Each structure stands twice: as structure tokens, then as C-alpha cells.
């Protein structure tokens, strides 16, 4: 079972989602999600996370990924001791944050938003970039922007605006701050 799931992950990593015949990419989802929590080696978790992240680059796949457990699979990846596995986990979450099912999830709990805020504080630029992209995406919605502020995310974003030297992070940070400002949310 694991060998088949790894083979599917490797296909998903290297194949653009638009290249699959209609509907066939969905067959890859469950085996890769299973691999994220049941793998015998962190390399296989990493490959499964990359495959799911690649599939999540297609907006039409995102709700299905969340429905089938990709969010929880990404959280499993964050628990890894391997920083590369953690990075792919936060990148996967960032890719799926902008779908309806993720929006519903983010409204129902603070925990996931706290995860993005925590990873925005890291020194790992790839993690920081993914976390700030997610914060910017969710801050487009006033209800979620309010939660970002309530959980201390605005302070983190303002600090990153001052200290980050990465242009991509800066763009995401400024976008998030702009959306929060447009939502007219007080910091208190």
C-alpha cells in the first residue's frame, strides 16, 4: 500500500493538475493523505505533501482536498521533526486556505489561524512566505480579518513589515495589513 501511495505522490509532484484527464486527479488524493499520517519514512511524507500542494494549486481541487482530509494531513506534517516536511505542510495549508471549506473551518476555530501566525514568526523564509500568504488570503474576509487581529496576527504582520528583507514576504504582509485596514478593525 505504501509503495503505491508513494508512486502516486511522485506522479502528483511532477504533473501539473491541468494535465490530468477530467476527474482523474481526485484518485490521487486519499492515498497521499493516508501517507501523510502513516508513512514509514519522512521522505514519503514530504513527497505526499508536495503532491497535495501541487494539486492544491488548482482552485477546483481545493474544496475536495479539504473534504477528504488534506487540512488534517497538513497539520500532521507540521508535527514532523523535519523542517522540510513542516515547510511543505504549511505550504499545503496556504494553498487550500482560500476555498469555501477552509473558510468555514477557519470561522469555526482559532487554532488554525494561530498556526499561521506562529509560522509567520519563523526565520525560515519559505514557511514565512506561506504563512503570510495564508494570512493575506484570509484577511480579505472581514470575519477572518477580525480573528487575525484578535489573535495577535496584526502585530506579527507589522513587525514583519519592519524586519523582513524578503520581497515576497513583504508583498504578502502589506496585502494582509491592507485588507485588515479596509475591514476597519480596531486593534483592541
Amino acid at each position: 500500500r505504501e509503495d503505491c501511495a508513494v508512486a502516486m505522490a511522485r506522479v502528483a509532484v511532477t504533473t501539473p493538475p491541468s494535465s490530468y484527464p477530467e476527474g482523474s486527479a481526485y484518485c490521487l488524493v486519499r492515498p497521499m493523505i493516508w501517507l501523510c499520517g502513516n508513512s514509514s519514512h519522512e521522505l514519503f511524507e514530504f513527497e505526499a505533501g508536495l503532491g497535495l500542494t501541487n494539486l492544491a494549486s488548482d482552485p477546483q481541487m481545493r474544496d475536495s482536498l479539504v473534504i477528504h482530509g488534506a487540512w488534517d494531513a497538513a497539520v500532521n506534517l507540521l508535527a514532523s521533526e523535519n523542517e522540510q516536511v513542516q515547510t511543505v505542510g504549511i505550504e499545503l495549508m496556504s494553498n487550500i486556505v482560500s476555498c469555501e471549506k477552509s473558510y468555514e473551518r477557519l470561522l469555526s476555530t482559532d487554532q488554525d489561524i494561530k498556526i499561521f501566525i506562529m509560522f509567520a514568526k519563523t526565520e525560515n523564509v519559505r514557511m514565512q512566505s506561506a504563512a503570510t500568504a495564508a494570512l493575506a488570503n484570509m484577511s480579505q474576509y472581514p470575519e477572518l480579518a477580525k480573528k487575525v487581529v484578535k489573535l495577535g496576527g496584526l502585530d506579527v504582520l507589522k513587525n514583519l513589515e519592519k524586519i523582513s528583507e524578503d520581497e515576497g514576504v513583504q508583498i504578502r504582509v502589506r496585502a494582509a495589513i491592507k485588507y485588515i485596514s479596509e475591514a476597519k478593525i480596531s486593534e483592541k
Side-chain angles (χ1 to χ4, degrees):
R1 180 178 187 180
E2 184 177 62
D3 291 341
C4 289
V6 169
M8 290 175 154
R10 290 176 180 165
V11 167
V13 168
T14 59
T15 307
S18 61
S19 297
Y20 294 102
E22 188 174 334
S24 64
Y26 295 100
C27 298
L28 303 171
V29 174
R30 285 189 181 171
M32 287 189 293
I33 288 172
W34 175 85
L35 201 55
C36 288
N38 298 287
S39 171
S40 65
H41 195 280
E42 61 192 14
L43 174 62
F44 302 153
E45 291 175 333
F46 178 73
E47 291 173 329
L50 281 177
L52 290 167
T53 302
N54 189 33
L55 290 179
S57 67
D58 179 353
Q60 295 179 347
M61 291 284 303
R62 293 176 185 154
D63 276 323
S64 180
L65 287 166
V66 174
I67 289 167
H68 287 97
W71 194 283
D72 293 327
V75 172
N76 283 342
L77 297 175
L78 297 179
S80 173
E81 293 181 19
N82 184 310
E83 190 172 291
Q84 289 182 317
V85 174
Q86 291 174 353
T87 301
V88 80
I90 199 72
E91 289 173 341
L92 172 56
M93 291 174 76
S94 180
N95 275 13
I96 58 178
V97 79
S98 61
C99 72
E100 183 65 31
K101 294 298 178 187
S102 292
Y103 174 78
E104 293 167 7
R105 180 180 174 123
L106 292 165
L107 280 178
S108 70
T109 180
D110 291 347
Q111 191 60 39
D112 296 320
I113 296 172
K114 289 178 183 177
I115 289 171
F116 290 116
I117 293 169
M118 179 185 75
F119 278 98
K121 296 178 193 179
T122 184
E123 292 181 15
N124 179 314
V125 175
R126 275 184 59 201
M127 287 183 184
Q128 212 176 58
S129 181
T132 55
L135 290 168
N137 278 327
M138 69 179 74
S139 293
Q140 294 179 67
Y141 303 97
E143 303 88 0
L144 295 179
K146 184 177 180 179
K147 290 180 90 167
V148 170
V149 171
K150 181 185 97 177
L151 297 170
L154 183 57
D155 293 335
V156 171
L157 291 165
K158 286 181 176 180
N159 185 51
L160 279 173
E161 187 178 35
K162 292 176 190 170
I163 66 169
S164 177
E165 296 178 8
D166 184 81
E167 183 179 344
V169 170
Q170 282 291 328
I171 290 168
R172 290 162 178 84
V173 165
R174 286 192 298 271
I177 292 171
K178 174 182 170 272
Y179 294 135
I180 290 168
S181 173
E182 288 172 356
K184 297 181 175 41
I185 300 165
S186 71
E187 294 183 48
K188 298 184 181 182

